[in-house]
Amino acid sequence: MGDLFNRPLKLKDYRYQIEQLQYTQDEVMEERKLRILEAYNDVTSQLATIKAKAENAALYNAQMKISENDFIQGKITIIALSLERARRSGAVTAYAESRISLYNAIILLEMLTNVKIIKEK
């Protein structure tokens, strides 16, 4: 007899639990969407950065060849050559660091979306 009277209360409690679970699931999905959006924006930003750093490294590589030639011809001193080499080294290092940052951002995006972006050779 008691079960008959408690049934509506149990159903109401069950519905409340289901609503709470649905709310929690929606909250988790929204958080995941935000993390995916942040990861996507990070990849986009890293792509723009790596492009600029690659161009910079290429320019310094070309400048280094010119400077080496100028040094051989006696147009510049060893100090000037050393400064060019340091600039080139900085540009190449910045490019390498940018590549690593881009790779890490892509891996995070892959993990969040379960979509393979980088193809293995």
Side-chain angles (χ1 to χ4, degrees):
M1 196 64 132
D3 285 340
L4 215 61
F5 291 114
N6 287 335
R7 179 172 272 181
L9 291 175
K10 286 182 181 180
L11 285 174
K12 194 174 196 178
D13 185 49
Y14 181 70
R15 284 187 190 128
Y16 176 74
Q17 288 176 1
I18 290 174
E19 286 174 6
Q20 286 299 105
L21 288 173
Q22 184 65 41
Y23 176 75
T24 302
Q25 182 182 11
D26 291 345
E27 196 174 274
V28 167
M29 291 304 292
E30 284 300 314
E31 179 67 29
R32 184 179 177 103
K33 287 177 187 177
L34 286 175
R35 290 191 66 206
I36 289 170
L37 180 61
E38 288 172 359
Y40 176 79
N41 287 339
D42 191 29
V43 167
T44 304
S45 171
Q46 293 294 334
L47 280 170
T49 301
I50 199 169
K51 181 180 178 191
K53 289 184 178 180
E55 290 171 358
N56 195 28
L59 286 173
Y60 274 114
N61 280 334
Q63 179 61 43
M64 188 64 211
K65 289 183 187 222
I66 292 168
S67 295
E68 286 173 346
N69 193 26
D70 286 348
F71 176 73
I72 290 169
Q73 294 177 2
K75 294 180 182 178
I76 63 171
T77 65
I78 189 77
I79 294 170
L81 181 63
S82 177
L83 287 173
E84 287 301 321
R85 187 161 286 180
R87 288 184 188 129
R88 178 190 167 274
S89 178
V92 170
T93 301
Y95 171 72
E97 289 171 352
S98 189
R99 282 186 62 194
I100 291 168
S101 295
L102 174 61
Y103 182 78
N104 289 339
I106 290 171
I107 294 299
L108 177 62
L109 186 59
E110 284 182 348
M111 288 172 51
L112 290 171
T113 61
N114 293 324
V115 174
K116 197 73 173 155
I117 298 170
I118 299 175
K119 305 271 189 234
E120 299 295 326
K121 291 182 181 181

